[in-house]
Amino acid sequence: MKIAVEGGLGRDEASELYESVGWFGYTRDPDKLVRSLAGSHVLLTVRQEDGRLVGLARTISDGETVCYVQDLLVRPEAQRRGIGRVLMEELKRRYIECRFFLLSTDHAKTEDARKSHPFYRSLGLIPHEEQGMAAFGLPVKR
């Protein structure tokens, strides 16, 4: 497997990866997905030797004070092989100087979150409320 920084992804390749993990909200408008990936501060990808995309992580950042990990996804058949960990460790290394390194995910009561929250904690990430902080946002557009 090879990790790389890319400037964007093609429509079909991006849609296929996001659909493989059930993130259909992103694939309703594939052109918007492609534009969002191209507009990322950093887009890290992991590919198999044959070039097949198996995972990605992307950030939104000013590169100095804040890094927001927008997406981290790995194809289900490639999960539990350390790919997500490698992607996150590379992002943490790249943004080590940023005061804020943030990631939002589903509430702990959802099935996906019961799997992902221990993973994020193992990387040293701590929920906002445990840091005496709060996060706010407009309702998610589904």
Side-chain angles (χ1 to χ4, degrees):
M1 304 243 174
K2 181 182 176 189
I3 187 170
V5 174
E6 296 195 36
L9 296 175
R11 178 183 169 140
D12 293 341
E13 186 175 52
S15 292
E16 183 185 347
L17 178 62
Y18 278 76
E19 286 176 356
S20 78
V21 296
W23 290 16
F24 301 109
Y26 286 81
T27 61
R28 284 189 202 111
D29 186 342
D31 293 326
K32 188 177 208 176
L33 173 59
V34 168
R35 288 190 307 273
S36 70
L37 293 170
S40 301
H41 190 253
V42 170
L43 173 62
L44 292 179
T45 60
V46 176
R47 295 180 179 276
Q48 293 176 332
E49 295 303 319
D50 64 3
R52 183 173 187 238
L53 181 67
V54 295
L56 70 76
R58 74 182 188 102
T59 62
I60 300 167
S61 178
D62 61 13
E64 297 293 331
T65 61
V66 64
C67 169
Y68 181 80
V69 179
Q70 174 59 37
D71 297 337
L72 172 67
L73 55 157
V74 177
R75 289 182 183 280
E77 67 272 16
Q79 291 175 3
R80 299 223 167 274
R81 296 184 191 166
I83 295 169
R85 180 170 298 281
V86 167
L87 287 166
M88 285 297 289
E89 292 295 349
E90 177 61 18
L91 291 179
K92 285 170 51 181
R93 185 191 68 74
R94 286 173 176 267
Y95 293 98
I96 196 165
E97 297 299 323
C98 284
R99 181 168 185 232
F100 295 103
F101 185 89
L102 308 166
L103 176 146
S104 293
T105 190
D106 294 329
H107 192 276
K109 293 180 181 178
T110 67
E111 184 176 338
D112 284 344
R114 283 192 294 272
K115 295 176 190 174
S116 64
H117 286 209
F119 169 70
Y120 296 131
R121 284 183 179 273
S122 77
L123 293 165
L125 301 179
I126 303 165
H128 287 339
E129 63 271 7
E130 289 181 23
Q131 298 179 58
M133 297 172 63
F136 295 89
L138 294 173
V140 175
K141 296 176 184 175
R142 304 229 180 245

